[in-house]
Amino acid sequence: MKAEFLSRKGPRWYSIPADRPFLDDLAEGLLALTEDEGPEALSDAVILTPTRRAARSLTEAFLRRAGSAGALLPPRIRPLGDLEAGEAPFEPGEVMLDLPPAITPVRRRFELLKLVGALTAGREQTPGPAEALGLADALGAFFDSLQIEEVTGENLDSLVGAEMAEHWQVSLDLLRTALELWPRRLEALGLEDVSRRRVLLLRALAERWREVPPPGLLIAAGSTGSVQATAGLLQVIAAAPRGAVVLPGLDTDDLSPEAMGLEVDDQHPQAALYELLRASGVARKDVLVWGPFGGEDPQGADRRKLISLALRPAARTSDWLATVADENGPGVRTITRGLEGLTVISSRDEEACALTAALLLRETLETPGRTAALVTPDQDLARRVCARLARWGVTADASAGEPLAGRPCAVLASLAARALADPALPSVLLGLLKHPLVTLRRDPEALAAARDDLERSALRRTRSETLDELRHRGETARIPAGPEALRLLEAYAVALAEPDGPGPESRHAGDWALRLTRVLEALCAQADGSAGALWAGPDGEAMARLLAQLVEDGAVTPELTVAGFIELFEALVAGESVRSARASHPRLRILGAMEARMARADRVILAGLEEGVWPQAAGVDPFLSRTMRKALGLPAPERRIALSAHDFAQSACAPEVFLLNTRRRRGAPVLESRWLWRLRTLARGAGATLAGRPDLTELAEALDAPGPFAPALRPAPCPPLEARPRKLAVTRVEALVRDPYQVWARDILRLYPMDRPDTPVDVRIRGTAIHSALETFVETYPADLPADAADVLDRLYIEALRAAGMDAIGLAREQALAREIAAWMVDQERQRRSDGRRIEVEQAGQLTFATLAGNFVLTAKADRLEIGPGPIGRILDYKTGAPPSIDTVKTGFSPQLTLTGAILEAGGFPGLGGLKVEELSYVRITGRRPAGEISSAVSKSANVREASAAALEGLKARIEAFDDPTRPYTSRVAPSSVKLHASDYDHLARVREWSSIGEGEDT
């Protein structure tokens, strides 16, 4: 083409077909100018691109195409989206001297947050900080829409009194007020909205270039002109003496009368370009092709025609029938050739899709010099692919970056913010002390040792409400915390303390951010006082920038409690992303849909082709209904689908394209993208099929599971006889019957579970508190009960719960239950003591019997023994949950009470002698109605003594069976126990795996 485009009479409109490498062709055409006018021909040229990435990529294209041509003075390449930040002629002072500066994004969000607070004040439901921030963003998007479309909100007045739902009427009133207040606030600040300022700059620049066109070459490339101000600037550029507009992928193949009539809907990929040409008064046939350079590619042209045909408006899908009517005709051949190099892969879920994409990228690297690009609007999928590539040590250039919230500095900041609200919360305290950035001026080894000491002594229990309580607990623990651990706790308290004492409970976000910054630096302080690596790296820099913006602009937010600040801070962090500082592979890129509009690679992977992902579903506007948008003159939400369709069409015309979709997302079925469905339908109509890669699917499935599928078998460890226990408590016998693996893990390997930090006061702790209260009560009043016995027992129970760590809310809930429990228990005490029987609580006993491998000792600790009158014994076991059923006791699955009865019969409780067991009962205590109930462990027709004897004989037989060295301690021998009786050792036994899949099953 050389430089012929300059000799053409203006206005000059061109298009680079979708199957061509846009930036390379653009650079080739511009470099042709240097052949006619010399290497300095481009030095005064200005090239406008839609985005910064496109500007960088065009620069790279110039370098590639220039090659060994010698010296070259490159043009000035500027992104249209950042006119106010560029060099001349884009400097605001040269275009509009009196234009106010733009408000910063963070300051704008906080100002809008304040506005939302004022608009919603006095309403029944006031939004929380995170919800208010979401409303502020939605309100900002509303203002942006008005400014970009250059419409005013005056049309809202026409809707006053119109029939609409009540909530839309509320929204209408709120928007009308906001439209009055927001411009006043900006005027008071002496600032301007970014969107409006950009529109004003575009309009001013267009007016300036209309009057005084630039003397040098002026090219606008890659823009679709979807913004009216941009469209106006493109018209001026096209009419400039040395100007031209190069459109991306205008469909110039179909010049039928219907297409020339621009019959496209809001969701058609050509909608924006057609509207631009219509507004500019340009016929589509007058838009010339830029190039092609290197000759026409027949396969690329066929692909372009295939995509154009598949994405035609619904009203023109009848063209499909005409195209495929002749199975040997040119239409079918075009479809068949266009399908060459196009592959579709459907994966079962997001994980499989990410792994497939990573394998395709990795496969590309096997061929020297080949490039690949993954294009997807799904940032989560992009991050998954990056993680899968890391297994091969490959880092792709991912434009979306990573979420800041998951990076170390952000995790630390979130924990520190929560510590401001509750410094003694064990999970937060441990999270901070174990964070790699936290040093508290200590050596890492010394810090770890002191932290572990503090964790063992004070944190793996029910929580303490304050740091002072936590210190006391550490000092008085069974194994007290050492001095270094206590000093570490003191250093932590100092780091969180405010230098001038506690401040107000409610503050502006800026004040909270300043305090958080000081806490972070104190936590990460090195021995020399520096903050170490806190602010280092991309995430540290991003967090420092966010906190600095909060400190600077946070004073305009409403006053927040610490809980409100945490909610706001975490919402802000969740919206931030950070680019990795690691070197990326030069031949791999992961791009968003818009960023890929002008990019090209040897292999293009389009992923996320599901409805709701690509294309994205029309967003839900909390402020505007469709009727309100129409009244304002705003475009329908579906216009975004047209832009997405254009991006898809551009990328799908690459020489080698893989279309990836998943059948399930987050466990739920999803529909494939409408574009993929259209391609399938068109191919099927032409008697063709979309190619697949079953080998790649099989590789993805086998990558993490090499070899045949072999599920884990039920574990059955078989320790030597000398390692097997010769002593068990009656409470452990149930584990031996139901799940022998538990006995192997706990009683043989001696793996004891640790309490988790901030252990909840659950049924187990309530039961312990009841046992403690009743033990103290009986020991204090062994015979006669006082007149205020119920009050005494009530107080003892609450004190036991408080000692166990129950918080104030839980204690308030238990107060009512405690009164009912105390009244019921005292009534039972009076009834059961009426015949003069003696009460013993928490008595220990044992019974030794001979087996094949020697003596075996059975131990028990009875909750309550009642002796007398005469040689009669009764055993009661307290329960706060449901007691075992009679059948469960009879079959030996819950032999605790019957075995305790056997020990009592044999005189195994010191000082009691042999007694005849008359009663074995469970006392269930709930505090509800009824507050408790007593139920027998054996049926009415059964003999209690015989049941105890049978339980003992059953135990002897079981112990003798385990005295066989070949008898394994198999996991979960009772099938009914798998779901009803969870164990602390289920994860070690991999119960969920072998019980769900089945032992030895082929799949």
Side-chain angles (χ1 to χ4, degrees):
M1 188 179 74
K2 301 299 181 183
E4 296 174 1
F5 66 90
L6 289 179
S7 61
R8 179 191 176 195
K9 185 178 180 181
R12 303 176 188 87
W13 293 84
Y14 293 92
S15 173
I16 295 178
D19 61 298
R20 297 294 306 171
F22 186 93
L23 295 178
D24 288 340
D25 276 11
L26 179 65
E28 189 80 27
L30 293 174
L31 285 172
L33 186 65
T34 62
E35 298 180 14
D36 297 339
E37 302 182 12
E40 73 283 354
L42 292 179
S43 60
D44 292 331
V46 175
I47 315 297
L48 301 181
T49 62
T51 63
R52 288 180 182 273
R53 176 178 281 271
R56 291 194 300 268
S57 298
L58 181 57
T59 302
E60 295 169 1
F62 270 113
L63 295 176
R64 286 195 306 271
R65 292 293 173 179
S68 58
L72 174 69
L73 296 176
R76 288 172 291 172
I77 305 173
R78 299 288 181 265
L80 266 175
D82 295 318
L83 291 181
E84 72 278 4
E87 299 174 1
F90 306 102
E91 189 64 32
E94 294 190 22
V95 179
M96 291 189 71
L97 192 62
D98 58 345
L99 192 63
I103 188 171
T104 63
V106 173
R107 178 64 183 273
R108 185 181 193 241
R109 290 187 85 183
F110 290 161
E111 289 286 353
L112 289 172
L113 182 67
K114 184 178 181 181
L115 179 59
V116 166
L119 294 173
T120 58
R123 298 181 182 271
E124 293 182 6
Q125 293 183 342
T126 304
E131 184 182 357
L133 186 65
L135 290 174
D137 291 339
L139 191 59
F142 166 69
F143 290 139
D144 289 340
S145 298
L146 295 180
Q147 293 158 5
I148 290 173
E149 299 300 330
E150 300 182 67
V151 298
T152 64
E154 296 177 356
N155 292 346
L156 281 178
D157 294 334
S158 64
L159 295 173
V160 176
E163 276 192 40
M164 62 176 66
E166 183 178 352
H167 66 281
W168 289 124
Q169 189 63 53
V170 172
S171 176
L172 176 63
D173 295 339
L174 186 145
L175 290 179
R176 293 174 64 211
T177 306
L179 284 170
E180 294 177 5
L181 298 179
W182 182 238
R184 295 180 194 170
R185 179 57 180 165
L186 287 175
E187 185 179 0
L189 294 172
L191 300 173
E192 187 60 84
D193 260 336
V194 174
S195 297
R196 185 169 185 274
R197 190 171 187 272
R198 184 170 294 142
V199 166
L200 291 175
L201 280 172
L202 288 170
R203 290 297 187 189
L205 190 59
E207 185 63 29
R208 176 176 177 178
W209 281 351
R210 182 180 289 108
E211 295 175 358
V212 185
L217 187 65
L218 183 62
I219 304 289
S223 176
T224 60
S226 57
V227 176
Q228 292 185 28
T230 303
L233 181 62
L234 294 181
Q235 295 166 17
V236 171
I237 292 173
R242 292 174 62 85
V245 173
V246 186
L247 302 176
L250 179 68
D251 187 357
T252 58
D253 294 313
D254 181 13
L255 297 178
S256 63
E258 294 86 355
M260 295 298 289
L262 307 182
E263 289 186 3
V264 297
D265 55 21
D266 288 338
Q267 303 180 33
H268 191 272
Q270 297 286 307
L273 293 176
Y274 283 13
E275 177 59 27
L276 171 64
L277 295 179
R278 186 197 63 76
S280 304
V282 178
R284 196 175 58 157
K285 61 183 178 59
D286 293 333
V287 179
L288 302 185
V289 175
W290 180 278
F293 299 93
E296 180 78 19
D297 179 9
Q299 183 181 351
D302 289 333
R303 174 72 59 74
R304 185 180 69 235
K305 294 172 183 177
L306 168 70
I307 299 299
S308 172
L309 186 61
L311 302 188
R312 283 189 182 172
R316 293 194 56 207
T317 49
S318 57
D319 294 352
W320 294 0
L321 297 175
T323 302
V324 302
D326 182 1
E327 61 181 14
N328 296 316
V332 172
R333 288 195 295 271
T334 295
I335 293 174
T336 304
R337 289 193 300 263
L339 289 173
E340 295 177 3
L342 195 64
T343 305
V344 176
I345 302 176
S346 294
S347 303
R348 65 178 183 274
D349 55 23
E350 307 102 300
E351 279 296 312
C353 183
L355 185 53
T356 301
L359 285 169
L360 285 168
L361 293 172
R362 178 66 180 84
E363 185 181 62
T364 307
L365 299 181
E366 296 298 314
T367 304
R370 274 180 66 82
T371 60
L374 170 65
V375 181
T376 178
D378 185 355
Q379 294 188 12
D380 180 64
L381 178 64
R383 289 190 286 267
R384 288 174 187 259
V385 174
C386 289
R388 301 304 169 272
L389 287 172
R391 73 189 305 161
W392 300 298
V394 176
T395 302
D397 179 14
S399 62
E402 303 174 28
L404 176 61
R407 300 298 292 269
C409 188
V411 172
L412 175 62
S414 179
L415 287 170
R418 292 178 179 274
L420 296 179
D422 192 350
L425 187 63
S427 55
V428 170
L429 196 157
L430 270 179
L432 286 171
L433 296 182
K434 291 187 176 184
H435 196 283
L437 292 175
V438 172
T439 57
L440 287 169
R441 299 178 182 266
R442 282 164 171 74
D443 177 82
E445 293 184 3
L447 174 65
R451 178 197 65 217
D452 293 344
D453 185 7
L454 182 66
E455 179 180 359
R456 283 190 299 269
S457 63
L459 292 174
R460 286 196 172 270
R461 300 163 62 182
T462 53
R463 66 157 301 172
S464 302
E465 292 298 323
T466 65
L467 291 178
D468 289 339
E469 289 182 19
L470 192 61
R471 166 183 280 277
H472 177 72
R473 176 174 289 187
E475 292 171 337
T476 58
R478 184 172 59 87
I479 302 178
E484 285 301 320
L486 296 177
R487 279 194 284 270
L488 176 64
L489 186 61
E490 181 62 29
Y492 170 76
V494 171
L496 293 180
E498 296 189 74
D500 301 326
E505 293 185 359
S506 295
R507 316 178 195 184
H508 295 293
D511 297 331
W512 283 119
L514 182 60
R515 186 185 173 196
L516 176 60
T517 303
R518 290 170 176 166
V519 167
L520 286 170
E521 293 185 341
L523 289 170
C524 299
Q526 305 289 311
D528 60 0
S530 67
L534 172 61
W535 309 120
D539 57 326
E541 294 174 2
M543 181 53 63
R545 187 165 52 251
L546 177 61
L547 286 171
Q549 292 170 337
L550 269 170
V551 171
E552 181 179 358
D553 298 324
V556 302
T557 65
E559 290 194 348
L560 304 167
T561 63
V562 64
F565 170 72
I566 294 171
E567 187 179 341
L568 175 65
F569 178 70
E570 292 185 344
L572 290 170
V573 172
E576 296 289 325
S577 60
V578 58
R579 294 290 300 273
S580 174
R582 296 173 294 176
S584 58
H585 200 287
R587 292 194 281 136
L588 298 183
R589 287 178 293 174
I590 299 178
L591 305 171
M594 180 180 174
E595 293 164 321
R597 182 179 296 169
M598 292 186 292
R600 187 53 55 96
D602 298 320
R603 169 177 286 181
V604 175
I605 305 161
L606 307 183
L609 289 171
E610 300 92 37
E611 284 297 307
V613 180
W614 199 6
Q616 243 180 357
V620 178
D621 193 326
F623 292 119
L624 294 174
S625 65
R626 287 181 175 272
T627 302
M628 295 165 73
R629 291 185 68 88
K630 186 175 181 180
L632 281 169
L634 296 177
E638 286 77 13
R639 188 174 72 166
R640 290 183 175 273
I641 296 179
L643 297 175
S644 294
H646 181 265
D647 296 335
F648 169 78
Q650 286 286 103
S651 298
C653 289
E656 185 183 22
V657 177
F658 288 83
L659 306 177
L660 272 56
N661 75 302
T662 68
R663 295 186 291 274
R664 302 182 73 86
R665 274 186 170 269
R666 297 179 180 87
V670 291
L671 296 174
E672 67 182 15
S673 172
R674 64 193 68 181
W675 307 319
L676 183 53
W677 178 86
R678 279 169 161 257
L679 279 171
R680 287 188 191 277
T681 305
L682 181 58
R684 188 165 54 249
T689 57
L690 291 169
R693 282 287 302 271
D695 61 314
L696 201 67
T697 303
E698 293 173 4
L699 178 59
E701 292 176 351
L703 191 61
D704 291 321
F709 178 68
L713 299 178
R714 185 196 308 253
C718 196
L721 188 59
E722 60 271 16
R724 303 189 178 208
R726 306 308 304 166
K727 183 178 182 179
L728 276 181
V730 294
T731 53
R732 299 294 300 147
V733 173
E734 181 171 348
L736 185 65
V737 175
R738 293 182 182 274
D739 187 8
Y741 185 90
Q742 283 193 52
V743 177
W744 176 76
R746 183 185 180 97
D747 301 281
I748 297 177
L749 297 184
R750 301 190 183 282
L751 299 176
Y752 302 116
M754 297 179 68
D755 288 334
R756 72 181 192 183
D758 195 15
T759 302
V761 184
D762 55 9
V763 173
R764 180 174 60 86
I765 295 180
R766 290 180 68 245
T768 302
I770 287 177
H771 280 72
S772 174
L774 290 173
E775 180 181 3
T776 303
F777 183 79
V778 171
E779 289 177 348
T780 306
Y781 307 103
D784 297 330
L785 299 180
D788 61 344
D791 293 337
V792 172
L793 186 55
D794 183 348
R795 186 185 71 254
L796 291 173
Y797 175 51
I798 295 299
E799 288 176 353
L801 286 174
R802 185 176 289 110
M806 181 171 280
D807 57 24
I809 297 175
L811 287 173
R813 182 185 65 247
E814 289 291 329
Q815 286 283 359
L817 300 179
R819 285 191 294 271
E820 296 292 334
I821 290 171
W824 185 84
M825 287 298 300
V826 168
D827 183 58
Q828 291 297 317
E829 283 290 321
R830 289 197 171 98
Q831 293 181 34
R832 299 188 72 87
R833 293 186 186 195
S834 61
D835 57 3
R837 66 186 67 175
R838 179 161 60 98
I839 311 298
E840 298 288 345
V841 293
E842 301 297 328
Q843 291 295 308
Q846 68 178 40
L847 172 63
T848 303
F849 55 86
T851 67
L852 294 175
N855 289 339
F856 189 90
V857 179
L858 177 68
T859 65
K861 192 171 186 179
D863 289 347
R864 181 185 178 104
L865 296 176
E866 298 180 355
I867 299 93
I872 302 297
R874 302 171 181 83
I875 304 176
L876 277 71
D877 187 34
Y878 295 115
K879 297 287 186 184
T880 52
S885 66
I886 292 176
D887 288 340
T888 303
V889 175
K890 182 179 179 180
T891 54
F893 284 117
S894 296
Q896 178 182 348
L897 267 186
T898 49
L899 288 176
T900 304
I903 295 175
L904 183 59
E905 284 268 352
F909 286 91
L912 299 183
L915 299 174
K916 296 179 181 180
V917 180
E918 186 180 78
E919 181 184 0
L920 298 174
S921 294
Y922 295 107
V923 182
R924 186 185 183 192
I925 304 172
T926 64
R928 295 172 177 84
R929 297 188 183 277
E933 59 182 0
I934 299 178
S935 59
S936 176
V938 298
S939 63
K940 294 180 180 179
S941 60
N943 184 288
V944 173
R945 301 177 68 189
E946 291 177 357
S948 296
L952 182 60
E953 290 303 315
L955 175 63
K956 289 179 179 179
R958 190 170 296 276
I959 296 301
E960 289 184 351
F962 278 98
D963 283 346
D964 179 356
T966 63
R967 175 69 177 265
Y969 286 81
T970 308
S971 174
R972 297 290 191 179
V973 294
S976 62
S977 301
V978 173
K979 294 184 178 180
L980 298 179
H981 298 273
S983 163
D984 291 324
Y985 305 97
D986 282 350
H987 61 299
L988 292 179
R990 300 173 74 172
V991 169
R992 295 191 62 163
E993 181 174 340
W994 60 257
S995 64
S996 299
I997 299 175
E999 297 176 273
E1001 291 184 8
D1002 293 328
T1003 54

